[in-house]
Amino acid sequence: MNTARQAIIAIDDPIVQVKDLSLFYGQSQALFNLNFDIPRKQVTALIGPSGCGKSTFIRCINRMNDLIDGLHTTGSIALDGQDIFDRSVDVIDLRRRVGMVFQKSNPFPKSIYENVIFGMRIGGVNEKPVLDETVEKSLRRAALWDEVKDRLHQSAMGLSGGQMQRLCIARAIAVSPEIVLMDEPCSALDPKSTAHIEELIRDLNGEYTIIIVTHNMQQASRISDYTAFLYEGELIEYGLTKKVFTVPVKRATEDYITGRFG
Amino acid sequence: MSTNIRSSIHTLKQHLIYLGTVVEEGIKNSIKAVRTFDPILAAQVQAADAQVNALEVDVEEDCLKILALHSPVASDLRFVVTALKMNRELERIGDLAVKVADKVILLDTVKKHEINPDAITVPADFEPMFITTLSMFSQLLDAFVNEDADLAYRILIQDDEVDTAKRNIRKQLDEIGKNDPKQQVYHTLLLSVARGLERIADHTTNSAEDIIYMLQGRIVRHEHHLL
């Protein structure tokens, strides 16, 4: 009987395995003993009220949190079996493998073209044909090519908000990451641009592992394959999105997604 | 927004319960009209159908409004989907009660042309069929109001009793027809009554399945044999 479903399901082919992960900002604990696996080349959404630890958690995956003083973690996050907190891990390489798109689009004050290949230039790639190809491919993948192909060398700052965010996605995927982290990528966009980005996320599914933080529950239900519900730093429920949004196992999940609290 | 969806769902629930009680009245009266061969009561059942139809439209509009304005999820979504489906089933049950009542009026017409109008032999299995069908429907409303999944499961089991009663009625009518061929003129009508009640029980069962989905998120429609 499926009423005995588990609140946190097992994943067959995980790319990320989170084990006993706790995180502290100085004395105060923000994440409590998280244990779950994230599936390869699927979209996983993290939902939960503000301050529940969603962003804190995804920033662990590419070690963005390293930059914060007084922060420490216990437990592990394995990327393809290797602990990313291990001393031997090259953080620059980790961030190439795990790209990130932020809430507010943050193009560099450079041309559209230079924005896309920024990561490749840092990686030492300078051959024009390779760069040209990457620019076109990435912009096409980000569904932006047709809109900008005639002005690649103009400033990225002249784009609309939705276009800037798609440019940031193009920049993130230009270095062929395995995972793209997205921290509320649509929260500053109008409905049409949001629809565009959501379509893009569905489109990238199967090619990249996408982990997205969103406050918009409808968005999580539309675009993700799996959904994790975090509350006060704990993972309450994690399962197939279609299950979580129709028949959640935990009362707290039910109450949150139906708007009874949060 | 969250207070809004709560009150919209509350209103929807009240409307659906009201529709349920009107339909229940229809079943009760049509059964009573059959029992007593009362064409006047049967005509009242026919007249009440307009109210059922109007209520069905109201409930559907409630559901569509909630879906469009609140994008319900989880138990709210299951509730609205269940309401939408039950609404349809209840309206069909109302129609079937009218069909049963129609047969009472036709029987009355036939009786007037026969030499011996009061000599109709009614098969014995009608009585348990009346009782079970009506009781299933009352339990359905209780299961909905009290959110009682166990009761909904018990309704599913009773459907077999009604099916058996209908089969027995058919056999008994054949038997009566053999012994007294004159009676056969009523038999299509009596069989239609039995079929109408059997279908009321079927739609009641469907709604009980919907309630189980609403409460447990479990689709039991095609797995009665596993229960």
Side-chain angles (χ1 to χ4, degrees), chain A residues 180-195:
Chain A
V180 180
L181 307 175
M182 297 188 176
D183 194 351
E184 296 206 50
C186 302
S187 63
L189 301 180
D190 66 84
K192 188 159 177 263
S193 305
T194 299

Side-chain angles (χ1 to χ4, degrees), chain A residues 218 245-246 254 257-260, chain B residues 2 6 73-76 78:
Chain A
Q218 272 82 45
F245 280 90
T246 54
E254 169 86 42
I257 64 175
T258 57
R260 287 178 175 87
Chain B
S2 62
R6 296 271 75 74
V73 292
S75 60
D76 293 342
R78 301 201 306 274

Side-chain angles (χ1 to χ4, degrees), chain A residues 90-185:
Chain A
D90 173 1
V91 178
I92 303 296
D93 182 57
L94 174 69
R95 291 184 191 150
R96 190 198 57 72
R97 293 173 68 189
V98 184
M100 190 155 188
V101 175
F102 297 86
Q103 181 169 1
K104 195 170 176 322
S105 58
N106 54 350
F108 304 129
K110 290 171 173 287
S111 70
I112 294 167
Y113 186 96
E114 285 300 324
N115 262 279
V116 177
I117 55 160
F118 194 82
M120 298 189 81
R121 285 226 197 268
I122 288 180
V125 182
N126 277 311
E127 297 84 2
K128 193 169 183 299
V130 178
L131 297 177
D132 285 353
E133 193 195 325
T134 303
V135 167
E136 177 166 350
K137 200 174 133 220
S138 306
L139 288 172
R140 279 190 191 282
R141 284 313 280 118
L144 190 57
W145 176 252
D146 289 338
E147 292 165 52
V148 300
K149 61 175 187 252
D150 300 323
R151 48 170 168 152
L152 292 175
H153 297 287
Q154 289 176 19
S155 169
M157 307 317 278
L159 297 173
S160 74
Q163 288 172 327
M164 281 190 194
Q165 195 60 304
R166 276 179 280 148
L167 177 64
C168 292
I169 294 174
R171 187 177 65 193
I173 62 181
V175 290
S176 305
E178 290 153 56
I179 299 175
V180 180
L181 307 175
M182 297 188 176
D183 194 351
E184 296 206 50

Side-chain angles (χ1 to χ4, degrees), chain B residues 17-215:
Chain B
I17 292 168
Y18 185 56
L19 172 61
T21 55
V22 173
V23 170
E24 186 180 31
E25 201 61 22
I27 305 172
K28 264 187 200 156
N29 286 339
S30 66
I31 286 176
K32 195 172 171 201
V34 175
R35 271 185 181 136
T36 55
F37 288 126
D38 181 347
I40 296 165
L41 187 56
Q44 284 173 19
V45 176
Q46 289 174 328
D49 195 44
Q51 193 192 1
V52 171
N53 293 342
L55 289 169
E56 189 220 0
V57 172
D58 287 349
V59 169
E60 186 164 321
E61 281 173 355
D62 288 346
C63 292
L64 294 176
K65 200 177 85 185
I66 295 172
L67 289 172
L69 300 184
H70 300 289
S71 306
V73 292
S75 60
D76 293 342
L77 175 68
R78 301 201 306 274
F79 181 84
V80 176
V81 169
T82 299
L84 206 49
K85 294 172 84 178
M86 270 183 76
N87 187 39
R88 176 60 62 87
E89 302 287 356
L90 293 178
E91 193 273 335
R92 299 291 299 275
I93 291 172
D95 284 349
L96 289 164
V98 170
K99 288 223 166 73
V100 170
D102 291 345
K103 303 301 173 290
V104 176
I105 289 168
L106 287 170
L107 268 171
D108 190 58
T109 324
V110 175
K111 271 164 70 181
K112 283 176 184 154
H113 292 90
E114 291 302 310
I115 306 151
N116 188 8
D118 296 319
I120 298 178
T121 315
V122 176
D125 269 54
F126 264 115
E127 204 48 42
M129 191 183 211
F130 292 153
I131 293 167
T132 310
T133 306
L134 191 55
S135 147
M136 282 171 72
F137 191 84
S138 304
Q139 291 171 55
L140 178 74
L141 296 185
D142 287 345
F144 180 72
V145 172
N146 302 325
E147 303 186 352
D148 184 345
D150 289 343
L151 185 56
Y153 278 110
R154 289 205 292 279
I155 294 168
L156 307 187
I157 299 162
Q158 295 166 64
D159 191 37
D160 292 342
E161 293 173 29
V162 176
D163 290 346
T164 309
K166 193 202 137 200
R167 276 197 298 276
N168 291 345
I169 287 168
R170 183 188 281 279
K171 277 186 216 144
Q172 287 160 14
L173 285 173
D174 285 348
E175 205 59 35
I176 295 165
K178 261 186 232 157
N179 297 335
D180 184 1
K182 283 206 300 285
Q183 299 246 355
Q184 281 174 2
V185 64
Y186 310 116
H187 286 181
T188 11
L189 293 173
L190 289 176
L191 198 57
S192 295
V193 168
R195 194 180 298 126
L197 291 171
E198 186 230 342
R199 293 195 52 212
I200 288 175
D202 286 344
H203 289 288
T204 305
T205 305
N206 292 347
S207 286
E209 290 161 351
D210 293 338
I211 290 174
I212 292 168
Y213 174 72
M214 172 178 97
L215 298 173

